[in-house]
């Protein structure tokens, strides 16, 4: 399935170059010292990476997660063993969908998901994300439900890398101003639940590294706007690495 997925990625790169120009522009901003040849090589590998993730996601519900090689270090296991709930900030990076069933092995988790425009597509995606100890909440649902999940000890999972527009916090990201969502900082402010940043990264041998790390949210003046800024800067700096 990996070889087939890579072939589809190669095909899309050459025949249906969806958002290729945007990808090239963004990579040139992030890596100004790379040549056009190097940039194009990264883009081709990125297309193949995403087709692999699509294939993995489509079969995710039907495979035993224990059959996938997932490397988890001691610090991450210690965080997962905490009785209290925490706010998980992640991004569309690596295999973010695999984070959901991994969390379900260790804790109850409430994952905030965006509703798809197509009803059938939305149903398919939600069913594919079904896993033990996992609940899904749509982004438009009540914040009170999200706070309740944290207070009962759940992980609250948020993908925090999408453009938040006028509602977000403006942060310098690769030398350009970007708008980051405020959600994680808001829920930390309301519940005092810790914020944890985590990613599931695919390796060359198609195993995965799942890593979590706490971030410091202590403030001297308890100002929520300062918290939005502090969390956004920390998250963006980790993404830039």
């Amino acid at each position: 399935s990996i070889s087939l997925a890579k072939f589809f990625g190669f095909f899309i790169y050459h025949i249906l170059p969806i958002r290729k120009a945007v990808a090239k522009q963004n990579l040139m901003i992030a890596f100004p010292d790379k040549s056009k040849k190097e940039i194009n090589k990264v883009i081709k590998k990125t297309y193949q990476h995403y087709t692999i993730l699509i294939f993995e996601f489509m079969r995710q519900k039907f495979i035993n997660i224990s059959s996938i090689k997932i490397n988890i270090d001691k610090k991450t296991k210690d965080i997962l063993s905490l009785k209290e709930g925490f706010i998980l900030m992640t991004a569309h990076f690596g295999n973010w969908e695999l984070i959901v069933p991994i969390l379900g092995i260790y804790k109850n988790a409430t994952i905030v998901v965006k509703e798809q425009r197509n009803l059938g597509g939305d149903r398919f995606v939600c069913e594919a994300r079904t896993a033990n100890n996992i609940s899904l909440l749509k982004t438009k649902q009540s914040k009170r439900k999200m706070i309740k999940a944290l207070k009962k000890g759940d992980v609250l999972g948020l993908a925090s890398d999408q453009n938040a527009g006028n509602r977000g916090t403006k942060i310098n990201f690769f030398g350009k101003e970007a708008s980051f969502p405020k959600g994680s900082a808001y829920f930390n402010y309301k519940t005092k639940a810790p914020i944890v940043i985590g990613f599931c990264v695919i390796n060359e041998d198609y195993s995965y590294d799942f890593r979590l790390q706490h971030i410091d949210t202590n403030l001297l003046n308890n100002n929520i706007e300062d918290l939005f800024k502090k969390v956004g800067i920390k998250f963006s700096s980790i993404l830039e690495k």
Side-chain angles (χ1 to χ4, degrees):
S1 63
I2 296 291
S3 297
L4 182 61
K6 290 176 74 173
F7 169 78
F8 271 99
F10 181 84
F11 175 82
I12 294 170
Y13 172 80
H14 286 285
I15 309 300
L16 299 169
I18 302 168
R19 295 189 178 181
K20 188 174 179 180
V22 175
K24 184 176 291 187
Q25 182 181 13
N26 288 340
L27 285 169
M28 289 173 67
I29 291 170
F31 305 105
D33 296 330
K34 285 189 179 294
S35 66
K36 288 184 178 180
K37 183 177 180 180
E38 289 173 312
I39 292 290
N40 286 329
K41 185 176 180 180
V42 172
I43 294 173
K44 184 172 74 172
K45 286 190 172 184
T46 301
Y47 274 75
Q48 291 179 317
H49 169 77
Y50 275 96
T51 49
I52 289 171
L53 297 192
I54 291 169
F55 274 57
E56 292 280 273
F57 180 60
M58 290 174 66
R59 71 189 187 107
Q60 185 168 285
K61 184 180 177 181
F62 305 102
I63 61 173
N64 189 332
I65 194 168
S66 62
S67 66
I68 303 172
K69 186 178 178 182
I70 302 169
N71 307 307
I72 304 177
D73 63 5
K74 184 180 182 303
K75 183 168 71 173
T76 299
K77 288 181 178 178
D78 288 344
I79 292 172
L80 291 169
S81 68
L82 295 173
K83 291 183 179 180
E84 63 181 353
F86 60 82
I87 301 150
L88 174 61
M89 293 181 75
T90 189
H92 296 88
F93 178 83
N95 189 344
W96 63 91
E97 294 289 355
L98 194 57
I99 294 175
V100 175
I102 295 173
L103 287 175
I105 296 172
Y106 294 89
K107 294 179 73 69
N108 292 323
T110 297
I111 309 299
V112 180
V113 297
K114 185 177 180 180
E115 187 170 3
Q116 306 299 310
R117 293 179 182 176
N118 180 278
L119 184 61
D122 186 68
R123 188 181 300 116
F124 170 79
V125 170
C126 287
E127 288 178 359
R129 286 171 170 157
T130 301
N132 292 333
N133 304 317
I134 299 296
S135 301
L136 302 179
L137 277 180
K138 301 295 175 64
T139 52
K140 294 181 181 179
Q141 288 184 263
S142 169
K143 289 186 176 69
R144 286 194 295 270
K145 291 183 178 180
M146 301 174 196
I147 290 172
K148 183 179 179 181
L150 281 169
K151 288 186 174 179
K152 72 175 184 179
D154 281 14
V155 176
L156 182 66
L158 301 168
S160 303
D161 62 327
Q162 293 186 315
N163 181 13
N166 294 330
R167 297 171 299 162
T169 300
K170 301 298 189 291
I171 302 293
N172 186 291
F173 186 56
F174 285 111
K176 302 285 185 179
E177 186 179 81
S179 178
F180 280 78
K182 297 178 178 179
S184 297
Y186 170 83
F187 290 117
N188 169 263
Y189 187 82
K190 287 291 185 180
T191 68
K192 305 306 178 188
I195 295 178
V196 170
I197 294 176
F199 306 104
C200 186
V201 180
I202 190 169
N203 298 310
E204 290 287 340
D205 63 355
Y206 303 108
S207 65
Y208 291 92
D209 291 337
F210 180 52
R211 299 287 184 267
L212 299 176
Q213 65 178 95
H214 277 112
I215 65 168
D216 175 31
T217 56
N218 292 324
L219 291 171
L220 294 176
N221 56 5
N222 202 34
N223 184 305
I224 192 169
E225 292 298 329
D226 288 348
L227 184 61
F228 291 152
K229 200 83 173 176
K230 182 174 184 177
V231 172
I233 290 171
K234 182 63 177 177
F235 188 59
S236 65
S237 68
I238 290 173
L239 288 178
E240 286 176 334
K241 293 177 183 178

